[in-house]
Amino acid sequence: MNTTTTSSLTDLLETRRTVGRFIPDRPLPEGVVEKLIHLATRAPTAFNLQNWRFIAVESDAAKERLQAVAYGQPQVRDASVTFIVCGQTEAYRHLFARLQPAVDAGMIPSAVQQGWSDMATASHENNPQLQRDEAFRSASLAAMTLMLAANELGYASGALSGFDPAALAEAFELPAHNIPVMLVTVGHAAERNWQQKPRRPLSEVLERV
Ligand SMILES: Cc1cc2nc3c(=O)[nH]c(=O)nc-3n(C[C@H](O)[C@H](O)[C@H](O)COP(=O)(O)O)c2cc1C
């Protein structure tokens, strides 16, 4: 792409690719899982709902369980870790408490805390479609942020929606209000992975009005 912008983020976006083949049996160093989720949760959410949950699947036994509900995809076994990125549908109930740190920091007045909390309750309470939409939005933003963070730290990553959500929920005992939105693999790239695949031209995807 012809652009004058150069930054590490631009490079990352231009070169990030989906890795499907990982070198097996290479755990991540201590602290990396926490660092990745710390960075992933820098992603924004509506009202700062933070309606997400991350399950780091690292042990052989848990990987086996996950692979069985992910149509046998081998990257779930070979990646150092696969994160089950869940979106949560009942987060609006906790919004008042979740905004408290921003109130304590003097960022938002308590009237705004109450107002947002009331607004979120009014819009979400009897609207399962919105709860689910918001869960998918937040989990997807977190998943992308997680992949970029992994690449930035020198690891390879991939997103997967190829799993049976009901079977996964059962295998990992997810409550109904935790929706498994995406799997994100992180690990060490083996040989013979594709580079980033070509994208549709801007003329097809961009509209300016
Ligand atoms: C939501 C989502 C679901 C995906 N599911 C799978 C999957 O189940 N298995 C797989 O091998 N790749 C999966 N992929 C990877 C895509 O095939 C890949 O991102 C796409 O081909 C573009 O490749 P690139 O990111 O290397 O350019 C998924 C990607 C996304 C964003």
Side-chain angles (χ1 to χ4, degrees), residues 55 57 61-62 64-70 84 164-174:
I55 301 167
V57 177
E64 208 171 295
R65 258 189 298 151
L66 185 57
Q67 193 181 7
V69 296
I84 304 171
D164 177 336
L168 187 150
E170 195 183 335
F172 288 88
E173 297 178 356
L174 301 182

mmCIF file of all heavy atoms in Angstrom, residues 55 57 61-62 64-70 84 164-174:
data_model
loop_
_atom_site.group_PDB
_atom_site.id
_atom_site.type_symbol
_atom_site.label_atom_id
_atom_site.label_comp_id
_atom_site.label_asym_id
_atom_site.label_seq_id
_atom_site.Cartn_x
_atom_site.Cartn_y
_atom_site.Cartn_z
ATOM 1 N N ILE A 55 -10.464 -17.927 28.900
ATOM 2 C CA ILE A 55 -10.002 -19.186 29.494
ATOM 3 C C ILE A 55 -8.754 -19.607 28.724
ATOM 4 O O ILE A 55 -8.809 -19.815 27.498
ATOM 5 C CB ILE A 55 -11.094 -20.273 29.400
ATOM 6 C CG1 ILE A 55 -12.361 -19.790 30.131
ATOM 7 C CG2 ILE A 55 -10.596 -21.593 29.987
ATOM 8 C CD1 ILE A 55 -13.587 -20.617 29.854
ATOM 9 N N VAL A 57 -6.325 -22.214 27.695
ATOM 10 C CA VAL A 57 -6.269 -23.678 27.619
ATOM 11 C C VAL A 57 -4.819 -24.075 27.353
ATOM 12 O O VAL A 57 -4.292 -23.870 26.257
ATOM 13 C CB VAL A 57 -7.211 -24.187 26.500
ATOM 14 C CG1 VAL A 57 -7.114 -25.695 26.359
ATOM 15 C CG2 VAL A 57 -8.645 -23.759 26.798
ATOM 16 N N ALA A 61 -4.609 -32.109 28.946
ATOM 17 C CA ALA A 61 -5.972 -32.624 29.123
ATOM 18 C C ALA A 61 -7.002 -31.617 28.610
ATOM 19 O O ALA A 61 -7.959 -31.984 27.909
ATOM 20 C CB ALA A 61 -6.225 -32.926 30.599
ATOM 21 N N ALA A 62 -6.795 -30.344 28.937
ATOM 22 C CA ALA A 62 -7.750 -29.323 28.502
ATOM 23 C C ALA A 62 -7.673 -29.123 26.985
ATOM 24 O O ALA A 62 -8.695 -28.916 26.323
ATOM 25 C CB ALA A 62 -7.482 -28.011 29.237
ATOM 26 N N GLU A 64 -6.968 -31.379 24.812
ATOM 27 C CA GLU A 64 -7.656 -32.531 24.220
ATOM 28 C C GLU A 64 -9.171 -32.301 24.215
ATOM 29 O O GLU A 64 -9.849 -32.556 23.227
ATOM 30 C CB GLU A 64 -7.318 -33.769 25.045
ATOM 31 C CG GLU A 64 -7.367 -35.069 24.272
ATOM 32 C CD GLU A 64 -6.806 -36.215 25.109
ATOM 33 O OE1 GLU A 64 -5.591 -36.196 25.426
ATOM 34 O OE2 GLU A 64 -7.604 -37.086 25.474
ATOM 35 N N ARG A 65 -9.669 -31.778 25.338
ATOM 36 C CA ARG A 65 -11.100 -31.486 25.432
ATOM 37 C C ARG A 65 -11.512 -30.436 24.402
ATOM 38 O O ARG A 65 -12.561 -30.522 23.784
ATOM 39 C CB ARG A 65 -11.409 -30.941 26.836
ATOM 40 C CG ARG A 65 -12.037 -31.971 27.762
ATOM 41 C CD ARG A 65 -12.518 -31.333 29.059
ATOM 42 N NE ARG A 65 -11.422 -30.746 29.816
ATOM 43 C CZ ARG A 65 -11.538 -29.708 30.636
ATOM 44 N NH1 ARG A 65 -12.703 -29.111 30.784
ATOM 45 N NH2 ARG A 65 -10.494 -29.246 31.293
ATOM 46 N N LEU A 66 -10.635 -29.434 24.252
ATOM 47 C CA LEU A 66 -10.962 -28.350 23.319
ATOM 48 C C LEU A 66 -10.899 -28.834 21.870
ATOM 49 O O LEU A 66 -11.780 -28.523 21.061
ATOM 50 C CB LEU A 66 -10.000 -27.162 23.531
ATOM 51 C CG LEU A 66 -10.306 -25.914 22.719
ATOM 52 C CD1 LEU A 66 -11.727 -25.403 22.971
ATOM 53 C CD2 LEU A 66 -9.297 -24.799 23.042
ATOM 54 N N GLN A 67 -9.861 -29.611 21.573
ATOM 55 C CA GLN A 67 -9.719 -30.098 20.194
ATOM 56 C C GLN A 67 -10.937 -30.937 19.790
ATOM 57 O O GLN A 67 -11.415 -30.851 18.660
ATOM 58 C CB GLN A 67 -8.435 -30.919 20.061
ATOM 59 C CG GLN A 67 -8.067 -31.182 18.610
ATOM 60 C CD GLN A 67 -6.804 -32.021 18.458
ATOM 61 O OE1 GLN A 67 -6.252 -32.527 19.437
ATOM 62 N NE2 GLN A 67 -6.355 -32.165 17.227
ATOM 63 N N ALA A 68 -11.456 -31.692 20.741
ATOM 64 C CA ALA A 68 -12.606 -32.558 20.450
ATOM 65 C C ALA A 68 -13.840 -31.751 20.062
ATOM 66 O O ALA A 68 -14.663 -32.215 19.274
ATOM 67 C CB ALA A 68 -12.914 -33.437 21.661
ATOM 68 N N VAL A 69 -13.965 -30.533 20.597
ATOM 69 C CA VAL A 69 -15.147 -29.719 20.256
ATOM 70 C C VAL A 69 -14.825 -28.690 19.169
ATOM 71 O O VAL A 69 -15.666 -27.885 18.792
ATOM 72 C CB VAL A 69 -15.742 -29.016 21.501
ATOM 73 C CG1 VAL A 69 -16.264 -30.060 22.488
ATOM 74 C CG2 VAL A 69 -14.743 -28.076 22.160
ATOM 75 N N ALA A 70 -13.564 -28.719 18.676
ATOM 76 C CA ALA A 70 -13.149 -27.793 17.611
ATOM 77 C C ALA A 70 -12.871 -28.574 16.328
ATOM 78 O O ALA A 70 -11.956 -28.249 15.568
ATOM 79 C CB ALA A 70 -11.915 -26.991 18.037
ATOM 80 N N ILE A 84 -10.077 -19.302 25.021
ATOM 81 C CA ILE A 84 -11.511 -19.269 24.719
ATOM 82 C C ILE A 84 -11.965 -17.865 25.106
ATOM 83 O O ILE A 84 -11.953 -17.508 26.295
ATOM 84 C CB ILE A 84 -12.288 -20.323 25.528
ATOM 85 C CG1 ILE A 84 -11.721 -21.727 25.281
ATOM 86 C CG2 ILE A 84 -13.779 -20.266 25.181
ATOM 87 C CD1 ILE A 84 -12.311 -22.801 26.225
ATOM 88 N N ASP A 164 -17.863 -26.228 18.040
ATOM 89 C CA ASP A 164 -19.281 -26.395 18.354
ATOM 90 C C ASP A 164 -19.548 -25.660 19.675
ATOM 91 O O ASP A 164 -19.102 -26.113 20.731
ATOM 92 C CB ASP A 164 -19.566 -27.905 18.482
ATOM 93 C CG ASP A 164 -20.997 -28.200 18.879
ATOM 94 O OD1 ASP A 164 -21.650 -27.327 19.493
ATOM 95 O OD2 ASP A 164 -21.463 -29.312 18.597
ATOM 96 N N PRO A 165 -20.236 -24.529 19.628
ATOM 97 C CA PRO A 165 -20.383 -23.708 20.844
ATOM 98 C C PRO A 165 -21.080 -24.434 21.989
ATOM 99 O O PRO A 165 -20.680 -24.289 23.146
ATOM 100 C CB PRO A 165 -21.196 -22.495 20.392
ATOM 101 C CG PRO A 165 -21.488 -22.661 18.960
ATOM 102 C CD PRO A 165 -20.910 -23.943 18.465
ATOM 103 N N ALA A 166 -22.100 -25.235 21.665
ATOM 104 C CA ALA A 166 -22.817 -25.939 22.739
ATOM 105 C C ALA A 166 -21.917 -26.995 23.372
ATOM 106 O O ALA A 166 -21.866 -27.125 24.606
ATOM 107 C CB ALA A 166 -24.084 -26.577 22.179
ATOM 108 N N ALA A 167 -21.183 -27.728 22.538
ATOM 109 C CA ALA A 167 -20.285 -28.765 23.066
ATOM 110 C C ALA A 167 -19.140 -28.131 23.854
ATOM 111 O O ALA A 167 -18.729 -28.646 24.903
ATOM 112 C CB ALA A 167 -19.735 -29.607 21.910
ATOM 113 N N LEU A 168 -18.651 -26.996 23.376
ATOM 114 C CA LEU A 168 -17.578 -26.307 24.103
ATOM 115 C C LEU A 168 -18.082 -25.824 25.464
ATOM 116 O O LEU A 168 -17.410 -25.986 26.488
ATOM 117 C CB LEU A 168 -17.041 -25.134 23.275
ATOM 118 C CG LEU A 168 -15.814 -24.429 23.847
ATOM 119 C CD1 LEU A 168 -14.952 -23.841 22.733
ATOM 120 C CD2 LEU A 168 -16.160 -23.325 24.843
ATOM 121 N N ALA A 169 -19.273 -25.236 25.459
ATOM 122 C CA ALA A 169 -19.840 -24.735 26.720
ATOM 123 C C ALA A 169 -19.967 -25.873 27.726
ATOM 124 O O ALA A 169 -19.677 -25.699 28.919
ATOM 125 C CB ALA A 169 -21.194 -24.083 26.466
ATOM 126 N N GLU A 170 -20.350 -27.042 27.238
ATOM 127 C CA GLU A 170 -20.500 -28.191 28.137
ATOM 128 C C GLU A 170 -19.122 -28.670 28.619
ATOM 129 O O GLU A 170 -18.928 -28.907 29.818
ATOM 130 C CB GLU A 170 -21.234 -29.305 27.397
ATOM 131 C CG GLU A 170 -21.732 -30.364 28.343
ATOM 132 C CD GLU A 170 -22.397 -31.534 27.621
ATOM 133 O OE1 GLU A 170 -22.882 -31.344 26.492
ATOM 134 O OE2 GLU A 170 -22.404 -32.624 28.215
ATOM 135 N N ALA A 171 -18.186 -28.767 27.691
ATOM 136 C CA ALA A 171 -16.852 -29.295 28.035
ATOM 137 C C ALA A 171 -16.128 -28.407 29.042
ATOM 138 O O ALA A 171 -15.310 -28.887 29.834
ATOM 139 C CB ALA A 171 -16.021 -29.469 26.769
ATOM 140 N N PHE A 172 -16.409 -27.097 28.986
ATOM 141 C CA PHE A 172 -15.706 -26.174 29.892
ATOM 142 C C PHE A 172 -16.651 -25.562 30.938
ATOM 143 O O PHE A 172 -16.312 -24.570 31.582
ATOM 144 C CB PHE A 172 -14.965 -25.105 29.082
ATOM 145 C CG PHE A 172 -13.771 -25.679 28.379
ATOM 146 C CD1 PHE A 172 -13.898 -26.243 27.122
ATOM 147 C CD2 PHE A 172 -12.528 -25.720 28.995
ATOM 148 C CE1 PHE A 172 -12.801 -26.831 26.477
ATOM 149 C CE2 PHE A 172 -11.430 -26.289 28.370
ATOM 150 C CZ PHE A 172 -11.577 -26.855 27.110
ATOM 151 N N GLU A 173 -17.818 -26.180 31.053
ATOM 152 C CA GLU A 173 -18.795 -25.797 32.084
ATOM 153 C C GLU A 173 -19.069 -24.298 32.099
ATOM 154 O O GLU A 173 -19.022 -23.633 33.143
ATOM 155 C CB GLU A 173 -18.309 -26.266 33.462
ATOM 156 C CG GLU A 173 -18.212 -27.779 33.527
ATOM 157 C CD GLU A 173 -17.676 -28.296 34.869
ATOM 158 O OE1 GLU A 173 -17.315 -27.476 35.731
ATOM 159 O OE2 GLU A 173 -17.624 -29.522 35.022
ATOM 160 N N LEU A 174 -19.332 -23.759 30.902
ATOM 161 C CA LEU A 174 -19.644 -22.328 30.813
ATOM 162 C C LEU A 174 -21.099 -22.101 31.200
ATOM 163 O O LEU A 174 -21.990 -22.795 30.692
ATOM 164 C CB LEU A 174 -19.438 -21.814 29.386
ATOM 165 C CG LEU A 174 -18.050 -21.948 28.766
ATOM 166 C CD1 LEU A 174 -18.061 -21.319 27.369
ATOM 167 C CD2 LEU A 174 -16.997 -21.284 29.642
#
